[in-house]
Amino acid sequence: LITSTRRGEGKTTIIESLANSLCLTKKRVLLIDANFSNNSLTRKFEGKPALEQFSLNGEPNAIDKFWSITSMTSIPNTDLIGCSEGNHTPAEVLPKNNLLENLPRIADNYDYIFIEGAALNTHADSKELSKYVQGIIAVFSARSSMAQLDKESVAFLTGTGEKFTGSVLNQVDLASMKL
């Protein structure tokens, strides 16, 4: 799960960069846009907004149904599952037996699966999505300063224990750095 404390910190850019880097080593990547408040991955790659409709409900041909909702991206070896944009949370729109609950059933088809979640300060989405993932990466902008709400979001991240695997400092002004 890739998240941030605030909007505009660069989650989509980081995910796209990771997918581009991994494709150079022939890795298979699945991107899941679960940022319902700003589905920029879905829009960027013109993906099918299908995350909210996918449910297995005991169907034996799960992988066939899964392939029908994936979209190819312009990044080699990288697929996308898009979502619709709206003012709702995963708990409100994801059906019972949804894709995220069934990630282990499709994981063998990919080397990496990245899920983009909404900013923690404004939406509970990433908190809800954290139960489905093995790891959480937070993206922070070097142009932002920490406010109390950011500290509460960071407390949530550290409270996830070993799931919180680290952070990316984005938007660093190289000209200001003394190397």
Side-chain angles (χ1 to χ4, degrees):
L1 174 65
I2 310 293
T3 190
S4 63
T5 55
R6 301 175 184 186
R7 274 187 76 153
E9 301 284 272
K11 296 181 301 291
T12 303
T13 302
I14 295 296
I15 289 172
E16 185 178 358
S17 298
L18 283 168
N20 272 302
S21 296
L22 291 166
C23 89
L24 296 174
T25 60
K26 308 284 189 242
K27 300 295 184 192
R28 297 260 316 134
V29 177
L30 174 64
L31 308 177
I32 301 174
D33 191 346
N35 189 347
F36 300 109
S37 64
N38 183 22
N39 65 346
S40 54
L41 280 173
T42 303
R43 285 182 278 120
K44 178 174 183 74
F45 293 113
E46 298 176 354
K48 300 173 195 171
L51 182 60
E52 302 92 325
Q53 285 81 42
F54 186 87
S55 176
L56 285 180
N57 290 332
E59 297 176 35
N61 59 344
I63 198 68
D64 293 336
K65 187 171 183 183
F66 167 74
W67 292 124
S68 73
I69 66 163
T70 60
S71 300
M72 291 176 44
T73 70
S74 56
I75 304 170
N77 301 319
T78 303
D79 295 330
L80 170 72
I81 307 237
C83 70
S84 297
E85 190 168 325
N87 188 19
H88 44 260
T89 67
E92 293 172 330
V93 295
L94 292 177
K96 184 180 178 186
N97 216 358
N98 65 67
L99 175 71
L100 300 177
E101 291 174 351
N102 289 279
L103 284 178
R105 294 177 76 176
I106 61 161
D108 290 342
N109 297 288
Y110 295 96
D111 297 299
Y112 295 93
I113 298 174
F114 297 113
I115 302 171
E116 181 174 351
L120 288 162
N121 288 3
T122 51
H123 301 282
D125 299 22
S126 289
K127 292 177 183 178
E128 291 179 24
L129 296 170
S130 67
K131 69 182 177 185
Y132 300 114
V133 301
Q134 292 176 335
I136 303 170
I137 298 171
V139 178
F140 295 93
S141 171
R143 299 177 186 154
S144 299
S145 57
M146 291 287 277
Q148 182 58 38
L149 197 52
D150 298 308
K151 292 176 184 177
E152 292 169 15
S153 293
V154 169
F156 164 76
L157 291 167
T158 56
T160 63
E162 291 182 14
K163 277 193 177 189
F164 182 48
T165 57
S167 304
V168 174
L169 183 60
N170 197 20
Q171 302 171 343
V172 175
D173 181 10
L174 296 177
S176 300
M177 291 182 64
K178 294 180 182 181
L179 299 175

